[in-house]
Amino acid sequence: MPNSPAPARRSVLKVLAAAPAVSALGGLATVTTASAAAAHAPARPAAPAATAPAAPAPAVPLAAPGIVKALPAAHFTVRSTNAEARFDGFGDTGLLTPVDRFFVRNHTTTPVLDAADWRLTLWGDGLHGRSPVHFTYGQLRDLPSVTRTALIECAGNGRSYYTSQQGEPVTGTAWTLGAVGAARWRGVRLADVLRRAGIARDAVDLLPRGLDDPYVSGGIDYGRVRRPLPVAKAFDDVILAYEMNGEPLPYDHGHPVRLVVPSWVGIASIKWLGDIEVSTRPLSSPWSTDWYRLFGDAHPAGGSAPISRQTLKSGYQLPFGATLEAGRVHRLTGRAWSAHAPVRTVEVSTDGGAHWRRAHLHDIPRRDGWVRWSTPWLPRVTGPATLLSRTTDAAGNTQPERAVHNTQGYLFNAVVRHPVTVA
């Protein structure tokens, strides 16, 4: 049985509303009672575009209930409440994944929130004053901003290959390679927000929580999505993002504000951020106890520690089962990435692994990003063929032939066997 969920946000906020509220405006926080703060606070008119730009207007969903943007079959495969990007469709895109091609991972449905009415609440015994601290959207945008280019990748990306390649059963969404995307995120350092909120020296854990609907499965209400984040990681490179590729965050990707936790599994990058508990003790949620751990014969009884860092992968930007003409040169393209270190090399095989050669890298390998690669291939013999690619990063990690199995299918990192036909 999963752990009992934390109280729903409305219950927590009843407690917060009864406690002193701390405004984050200015260098020194001003402490008042919540009722007094409400009495003296100015009305919240819609902020000008420079302060609180609106997200793009919702598009009519084409295929998936609960997802706002259009999901054309040329670019997406709908998987329940989620939309996987077609990896073979990335061939005509640059290093950044266009917003309209970015995968969607939802536990429930995309909430349509107004930035003018949104605020972030920080609370818990890990704050000096122990009183909740609030930031409006405008206040966040007034803080010094940073821009980071980083991948977001679901922990289960590649999950289906445990079964299709290795014959091992797993549970969860049957992603292939398309639950990943790269974007340029702009926002505020989480470290700066924590300092302004008065984080205590002995704080060890944060519990960010989203504003999407509570997740209910098997008749159990697990509450809103939330995942512990160590203070050490928060102070390293995490940002509160409000822009994606130069535009306000779209609804499906966390509008108005989301976390971006570079190199960690996607569940850590909470969308539609509403509040963050700051604690002097380790925190947990079903997303760190029941899920996002490694269970199975190869792992400790009761599961591994909650997973954090993603792994490494590569793949061809070519449909599975594609037919290629014999006797002519084909330019095969793909992408490779690693959450551990920049990519060092990509090797390819066009004969099922009997021979390998290096592919040409088209980008400077960088931390938290991917590289595009290509290789020419002149197939001479007709019939089925298997294409392979494998990444080696600057830390010496190389994709293995088989991934270590876990029952929930996380962190697949093996070489993907890509079937084609030469005709």
Side-chain angles (χ1 to χ4, degrees):
M1 288 288 291
N3 290 356
S4 297
R9 179 176 166 80
R10 57 181 174 270
S11 300
V12 172
L13 291 186
K14 286 180 182 177
V15 176
L16 301 186
V22 181
S23 169
L25 280 172
L28 296 176
T30 302
V31 181
T32 63
T33 64
S35 57
H40 295 289
R44 290 196 214 169
T51 303
V60 177
L62 296 181
I67 293 179
V68 172
K69 69 182 181 183
L71 302 171
H75 299 317
F76 291 99
T77 300
V78 174
R79 303 192 185 279
S80 183
T81 59
N82 311 299
E84 177 176 3
R86 291 181 59 107
F87 194 81
D88 57 83
F90 288 160
D92 63 351
T93 65
L95 266 183
L96 301 182
T97 308
V99 171
D100 63 357
R101 306 273 194 98
F102 214 95
F103 82 101
V104 179
R105 170 65 173 110
N106 282 359
H107 281 77
T108 55
T109 61
T110 294
V112 177
L113 305 175
D114 186 342
D117 295 330
W118 175 91
R119 71 176 182 176
L120 172 67
T121 298
L122 287 87
W123 60 281
D125 68 0
L127 298 180
H128 281 305
R130 305 294 193 267
S131 300
V133 179
H134 307 293
F135 292 83
T136 66
Y137 185 83
Q139 287 173 337
L140 280 186
R141 291 191 66 101
D142 285 342
L143 296 176
S145 68
V146 295
T147 301
R148 299 197 193 287
T149 299
L151 297 173
I152 299 288
E153 181 179 9
C154 181
N157 196 29
R159 173 183 284 127
S160 66
Y161 299 125
Y162 278 109
T163 301
S164 64
Q165 288 196 175
Q166 301 186 181
E168 297 168 315
V170 293
T171 60
T173 302
W175 303 109
T176 54
L177 281 183
V180 62
R184 182 175 293 118
W185 311 95
R186 179 169 174 249
V188 180
R189 292 181 182 90
L190 178 54
D192 291 346
V193 171
L194 290 169
R195 290 188 185 102
R196 285 177 174 262
I199 187 170
R201 287 182 178 273
D202 56 349
V204 297
D205 247 359
L206 310 176
L207 191 63
R209 176 167 38 188
L211 289 170
D212 43 340
D213 288 339
Y215 176 62
V216 178
S217 178
I220 300 173
D221 184 342
Y222 293 99
R224 288 190 164 109
V225 177
R226 57 205 184 280
R227 180 71 160 26
L229 181 68
V231 167
K233 176 64 174 176
F235 271 79
D236 179 20
D237 56 2
V238 179
I239 67 171
L240 302 174
Y242 45 72
E243 287 185 6
M244 181 182 183
N245 292 346
E247 300 292 338
L249 277 178
Y251 293 113
D252 292 307
H253 301 294
H255 181 80
V257 175
R258 71 172 297 165
L259 283 185
V260 172
V261 184
S263 78
W264 279 35
V265 291
I267 186 63
S269 295
I270 297 292
K271 296 192 287 185
W272 315 294
L273 188 63
D275 71 276
I276 302 176
E277 181 180 357
V278 185
S279 177
T280 58
R281 67 190 189 283
L283 297 173
S284 66
S285 83
W287 286 267
S288 64
T289 58
D290 295 74
W291 311 298
Y292 300 98
R293 303 169 73 108
L294 304 181
F295 298 95
D297 293 341
H299 306 285
S304 69
I307 58 177
S308 56
R309 190 175 294 275
Q310 252 291 356
T311 186
L312 72 171
K313 293 185 180 70
S314 64
Y316 287 84
Q317 295 167 159
L318 183 71
F320 264 44
T323 298
L324 303 176
E325 183 182 347
R328 57 162 292 201
V329 176
H330 299 271
R331 182 175 179 268
L332 304 178
T333 68
R335 296 184 188 234
W337 62 101
S338 173
H340 299 282
V343 170
R344 187 174 70 197
T345 61
V346 176
E347 298 170 286
V348 296
S349 171
T350 54
D351 57 10
H355 302 89
W356 294 85
R357 65 180 184 272
R358 284 198 179 188
H360 174 67
L361 303 186
H362 293 275
D363 304 295
I364 298 173
R366 300 183 186 278
R367 177 188 177 193
D368 303 325
W370 53 15
V371 296
R372 294 166 293 177
W373 55 263
S374 68
T375 189
W377 182 37
L378 174 60
R380 301 184 184 279
V381 179
T382 61
T386 300
L387 309 180
L388 309 177
S389 65
R390 66 185 179 199
T391 301
T392 298
D393 66 25
N397 302 295
T398 299
Q399 287 184 263
E401 183 178 343
R402 290 180 66 89
V404 178
H405 177 252
N406 65 93
T407 59
Q408 294 181 356
Y410 298 128
L411 303 184
F412 184 86
N413 64 348
V415 170
V416 174
R417 303 184 66 81
H418 195 121
V420 296
T421 298
V422 179

